[in-house]
């Protein structure tokens, strides 16, 4: 569980790469510069930790590409104290970024093996979510709604209705929508029934699976 000057240097290079790719949000860049991503991966893969690529982790899942994490985080426009729902805890890396941005994070993971591992690991390195939940992300988390932001970290073939209904007015849902290739999509809730939709380029995610618990 070491974080050395070498790691910090590699992180700074990663931040520089993200700036070159168009990430502008200072808070997001600072979070990525601060979080020891190598600790989220098997120790044998230290050289891959700060390359801008996705990487396989347990349960056939991946730790998202840093650019994707930064891009989604930037779209959320998180302010300290915001209540954020994350669908797909995965390795916990995106969750750590949200916490670093000052969000109160509620995160749902449907892979039991990952859920157990990540819920032990995150507090160990100082990142405490409000709640980590083992369950079906398609349903969202009605009892804690409304949320200032909702982020989905897996490809969704369609936009789950419960997620839209659990957004606060003015809230933002960032979700990759599509089957093989996903379009990063942002919904902003303008009123009880009114949503503004924006689409950003194509990304590739592991699929968001429904009712697999």
């Amino acid at each position: 569980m070491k974080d050395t000057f070498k790691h910090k240097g590699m992180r700074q290079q990663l931040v520089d790469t993200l700036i070159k790719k168009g990430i502008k949000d200072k808070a997001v860049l600072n979070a990525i510069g601060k979080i020891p991503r190598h600790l989220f991966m098997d120790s044998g893969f230290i050289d891959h930790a700060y390359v801008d690529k996705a990487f396989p982790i347990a349960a056939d899942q991946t730790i998202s590409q840093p650019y994707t994490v930064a891009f989604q985080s930037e779209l959320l426009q998180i302010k300290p104290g915001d209540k954020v729902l994350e669908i797909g805890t995965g390795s916990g890396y995106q969750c750590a970024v949200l916490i670093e941005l000052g969000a109160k994070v509620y995160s749902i993971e449907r892979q039991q093996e990952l859920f157990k591992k990540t819920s032990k690991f995150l507090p160990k390195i100082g990142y405490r979510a409000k709640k980590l939940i083992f369950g079906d992300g398609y349903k969202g988390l009605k009892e804690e709604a409304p949320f200032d932001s909702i982020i989905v970290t897996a490809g969704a073939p369609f936009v789950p209705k419960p997620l839209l209904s659990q957004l606060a007015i003015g809230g933002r849902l960032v979700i990759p929508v599509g089957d093989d290739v996903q379009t990063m999509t942002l919904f902003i809730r303008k009123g009880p029934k009114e949503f503004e939709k924006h689409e950003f380029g194509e990304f590739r995610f592991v699929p968001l699976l429904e009712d697999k618990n």
Side-chain angles (χ1 to χ4, degrees):
M1 301 282 273
K2 278 206 191 91
D3 188 28
T4 64
F5 280 119
K6 184 187 171 194
H7 295 127
K8 290 182 177 108
M10 288 161 88
R11 276 205 290 286
Q12 206 38 60
Q13 284 172 334
L14 174 58
V15 167
D16 294 343
T17 303
L18 297 181
I19 293 170
K20 285 193 188 93
K21 288 188 171 184
I23 301 295
K24 294 183 180 68
D25 188 318
K26 291 277 194 297
V28 170
L29 292 165
N30 287 343
I32 287 182
K34 192 170 169 188
I35 296 165
R37 188 171 184 258
H38 62 282
L39 298 181
F40 292 79
M41 299 160 75
D42 292 334
S43 57
F45 301 121
I46 219 86
D47 292 344
H48 295 273
Y50 298 110
V51 179
D52 188 26
K53 284 199 172 84
F55 205 79
I57 53 168
D60 292 331
Q61 300 296 300
T62 56
I63 178 169
S64 290
Q65 181 182 354
Y67 173 72
T68 306
V69 170
F71 190 86
Q72 284 193 287
S73 302
E74 187 168 73
L75 283 181
L76 290 174
Q77 297 185 358
I78 286 169
K79 300 178 295 301
D82 275 2
K83 196 170 181 184
V84 179
L85 175 63
E86 178 189 36
I87 308 299
T89 318
S91 68
Y93 181 67
Q94 173 73 72
C95 187
V97 170
L98 297 170
I99 293 169
E100 197 62 66
L101 291 170
K104 296 177 175 141
V105 185
Y106 296 77
S107 187
I108 303 177
E109 174 54 55
R110 55 161 201 87
Q111 294 269 8
Q112 192 147 23
E113 174 191 356
L114 265 183
F115 169 73
K116 283 183 176 157
K117 192 173 168 187
T118 303
S119 35
K120 279 203 190 87
F121 169 70
L122 276 175
K124 233 185 229 167
I125 59 163
Y127 290 103
R128 283 179 178 75
K130 277 290 190 200
K131 256 189 198 163
L132 293 174
I133 298 121
F134 174 58
D136 178 1
Y138 270 81
K139 297 189 180 96
L141 194 62
K142 202 174 172 185
E143 62 272 25
E144 295 291 351
F147 294 95
D148 298 304
S149 296
I150 298 177
I151 176 172
V152 178
T153 62
F158 59 89
V159 180
K161 289 256 173 6
L163 300 186
L164 288 169
S165 71
Q166 290 171 26
L167 269 186
I169 305 289
R172 302 164 81 87
L173 164 65
V174 173
I175 179 167
V177 184
D179 290 315
D180 298 330
V181 177
Q182 291 82 33
T183 301
M184 192 65 77
T185 311
L186 164 68
F187 290 91
I188 303 171
R189 188 169 199 173
K190 293 295 189 183
K193 294 214 165 18
E194 198 190 336
F195 292 88
E196 193 179 281
K197 181 180 176 186
H198 302 264
E199 290 185 341
F200 303 85
E202 292 186 341
F203 288 77
R204 282 181 188 275
F205 282 79
V206 292
L208 177 65
L209 300 177
E210 191 174 11
D211 285 333
K212 281 292 188 294
N213 296 329

